[in-house]
Each structure stands twice: as structure tokens, then as C-alpha cells.
Amino acid sequence: MIKVAMTSVYVDDVRKAHAFYTDVLGFETRAHLDLGGGTLFVTVGAPEGAQQDLQLLLEPGQGTIAEPYRRAVYDAGLPAIVFSVDDIDAEYERLRLLGVRFTHEPQEQGPVIAAVLDDTVGNLIQLTQPKG
């Protein structure tokens, strides 16, 4: 069986992204390594033992491939990644009170209720909750 172990999201600033993904979104740090020369290897994951085998790599988004890709995805209004939540209305309110900027409030989209937020480091992130 093949399973997803790690996926990347390109970010403007790894340190700033780490703070946002842990302090605001509530992820836990899985790895935080200084590779030298100002390069960090940082992964985060779901807290409290959920999805322990899945990590999100906060990947430096500069460079000839990553930067144009990241900018095009953002400018098109597409989320770089989708996270599921148990109660989208409560999560929306919690994050909004923390100053998170949403590009759209929770609304029905097919089989889910979805909202999109700006992660402050160059990405749009979609939150979803199954309907019903």
C-alpha cells in the first residue's frame, strides 16, 4: 500500500510560515532543522496524534520554478492545499478573531462547506467540512 508521507507548500519565509502554521492554525512541529546557510527544513503536522505519518514541508518558495508557480496559483485564487475541519464555522470565527484574512467566508461548494484564507506567506489555504 502506498500512502502520502509528506507534501510541500512553497512559502515566502519559512520562519514566518512555521509561526503561522503552529501558532495560528494549530499544527505541531514535526521537524525543525537548520541545514546551514540560512536554510531551514521545517515540517508540521496535525496535533494530538492525528495523522502522525503525514507531514507538511514548509518549502522555501524562491527560485525560478517555485516563485512563478506559487504566484500564478495565488493570482488565480487557487488554494495551495486543502485542510479538513470538524466545525468550519467555529474555525472560521476562531481564525478571524486572530486576524486571519479570508478571501471567502464558509459557503457550500458541492459536497462540502469551504472557506479560503491567506496564510501570510504567499498561499491561499482552503478549509473544508463535509455537508450534513
Side-chain angles (χ1 to χ4, degrees), residues 14-15 32-42 58-60:
V14 174
R15 282 183 175 81
H32 193 285
L33 305 169
D34 186 340
L35 302 178
T39 303
L40 295 175
F41 179 87
V42 178
L58 303 176
E59 187 86 50

Side-chain angles (χ1 to χ4, degrees), residues 13 16 32-33 38 43 55 63 80 82 85 87 92 103 129-130:
D13 180 317
K16 184 177 177 184
H32 193 285
L33 305 169
T43 66
Q55 298 181 72
V82 178
V85 297
D87 184 340
Y92 171 78
T103 61
Q129 173 190 331

Side-chain angles (χ1 to χ4, degrees), residues 38-127:
T39 303
L40 295 175
F41 179 87
V42 178
T43 66
V44 296
E48 302 170 14
Q51 296 181 309
Q52 283 300 302
D53 59 345
L54 179 59
Q55 298 181 72
L56 178 62
L57 174 61
L58 303 176
E59 187 86 50
Q62 297 74 22
T64 58
I65 296 172
E67 180 62 28
Y69 167 78
R70 190 169 49 86
R71 189 177 312 118
V73 170
Y74 188 93
D75 290 346
L78 300 173
I81 195 161
V82 178
F83 298 131
S84 65
V85 297
D86 294 328
D87 184 340
I88 197 162
D89 292 325
E91 198 62 32
Y92 171 78
E93 282 304 315
R94 181 186 78 80
L95 293 172
R96 194 180 60 74
L97 290 172
L98 290 172
V100 173
R101 185 180 75 82
F102 280 81
T103 61
H104 80 70
E105 300 175 351
Q107 58 186 290
E108 291 189 15
Q109 291 184 332
V112 300
I113 302 168
V116 176
L117 63 94
D118 187 316
D119 75 353
T120 74
V121 287
N123 300 291
L124 297 175
I125 304 296
Q126 186 173 49
L127 304 178

Side-chain angles (χ1 to χ4, degrees), residues 6-25:
M6 184 182 302
T7 190
S8 299
V9 62
Y10 292 118
V11 298
D12 289 341
D13 180 317
V14 174
R15 282 183 175 81
K16 184 177 177 184
H18 181 240
F20 182 83
Y21 281 74
T22 56
D23 298 343
V24 177
L25 295 183

